[in-house]
Amino acid sequence: MGLTVYKIDSSSPVRSVFMTIEALNIPDVDYVNVNLLEGEQHKEEFTKLNPQHTVPLLKDDDFCVWDSHAIAVYLVTKYGADDSLYPADPKKRAVIDQRLHFDSGILFPALLEAVLPVFYKGEKSFRPEHLERITKGYEFAEKFLASSQWLAGDQITLADICCVSSISTMDEIIPIDKDLYPNLAGWLKRCGEQEFYKKGNEPGLGQFRDLEKLKLA
Ligand SMILES: N[C@@H](CCC(=O)N[C@@H](CS)C(=O)NCC(=O)O)C(=O)O
């Protein structure tokens, strides 16, 4: 019993959960691989837990929650030593929530749309219209970072953790040009210096990179 994360390491939302676990120093988490390329998420034993058949899925004893953003908030609220990653202050929290919805509604769908034809349909290049949506995501994020070091103010929050999993993956598709997006490039570098990023994002991002190379070859 305890915490179990159902996952595939190359998935960006899964990496948001890994990073949250690292940032909170939560010990003793069990991990279960779900091989999406083999369609394992559609097996009954998994859809009984998550009818939406997505990873990440978190099981906390008998309680199940899915969607990386919901999981990250749950982990901070239940297991955080304090609320610094998701402050209770209404205005601070509203900005973080906006960024989480930005990831959920803009960044991740743009990433998924770009990746699916290459990873699952044998296409050998990313489609220009999909690349445009990634660039649009960069433009928005660049503006969010115009007056602060982190995406929701002066301290690292779940906004950074959840958006960096998508943006670091997008960076593997369209490298972020630091002349065009200086704020974003600086932020990505700062994120890369964090322990939670090194442990929670880098290994799976490396797997994404290898898979991308293989699929585009
Ligand atoms: N908004 C969700 C997205 C989850 C998602 O779409 N995960 C993908 C992997 S990156 C998945 O499990 N796809 C399998 C499927 O939809 O069948 C989150 O943040 O957790």
Side-chain angles (χ1 to χ4, degrees):
M1 295 299 254
L3 286 178
T4 307
V5 175
Y6 293 74
K7 52 97 176 177
I8 183 167
D9 295 353
S10 55
S11 148
S12 59
V14 166
R15 286 183 265 120
S16 298
V17 172
F18 290 168
M19 284 189 274
T20 307
I21 289 168
E22 290 298 335
L24 295 172
N25 284 315
I26 302 175
D28 300 330
V29 179
D30 288 329
Y31 293 95
V32 175
N33 279 311
V34 181
N35 190 334
L36 302 184
L37 296 170
E38 302 280 333
E40 270 179 20
Q41 76 274 31
H42 295 290
K43 288 191 176 160
E44 200 189 337
E45 65 195 74
F46 188 71
T47 55
K48 268 198 298 204
L49 303 176
N50 174 3
Q52 253 183 278
H53 52 79
T54 53
V55 291
L57 163 70
L58 177 77
K59 202 162 169 291
D60 189 356
D61 289 331
D62 290 333
F63 173 71
C64 283
V65 59
W66 57 92
D67 188 282
S68 55
H69 312 85
I71 295 170
V73 167
Y74 174 78
L75 289 173
V76 174
T77 317
K78 182 151 185 217
Y79 294 100
D82 57 49
D83 70 355
S84 62
L85 287 177
Y86 192 60
D89 174 81
K91 288 185 182 162
K92 287 186 181 164
R93 184 163 285 194
V95 177
I96 297 167
D97 285 341
Q98 186 279 319
R99 306 310 193 225
L100 298 185
H101 288 289
F102 171 64
D103 183 52
S104 204
I106 303 287
L107 295 177
F108 179 70
L111 179 60
L112 191 66
E113 186 182 54
V115 162
L116 285 181
V118 173
F119 279 30
Y120 289 91
K121 295 203 169 135
E123 294 190 14
K124 291 292 172 193
S125 60
F126 293 103
R127 296 189 200 164
E129 66 272 24
H130 294 163
L131 297 180
E132 231 173 78
R133 285 190 66 193
I134 290 179
T135 307
K136 194 72 207 160
Y138 290 172
E139 285 169 13
F140 284 132
E142 177 69 12
K143 288 182 186 154
F144 298 161
L145 288 160
S147 56
S148 61
Q149 290 271 298
W150 301 104
L151 270 175
D154 294 330
Q155 67 180 40
I156 294 182
T157 66
L158 289 184
D160 302 289
I161 289 179
C162 289
C163 290
V164 82
S165 61
S166 298
I167 291 178
S168 61
T169 312
M170 290 170 157
D171 183 52
E172 297 293 332
I173 298 173
I174 310 179
I176 294 169
D177 182 334
K178 68 176 184 326
D179 293 325
L180 287 176
Y181 309 108
N183 302 329
L184 187 59
W187 168 82
L188 184 58
K189 185 166 179 292
R190 283 191 294 285
C191 288
E193 288 159 4
Q194 309 304 311
E195 271 313 297
F196 68 74
Y197 181 103
K198 290 181 190 164
K199 289 189 181 151
N201 199 51
E202 268 176 11
L205 185 62
Q207 290 190 19
F208 175 89
R209 191 179 302 130
D210 293 344
L211 199 57
E212 181 192 5
K213 252 190 226 150
L214 193 77
K215 295 287 180 182
L216 290 174

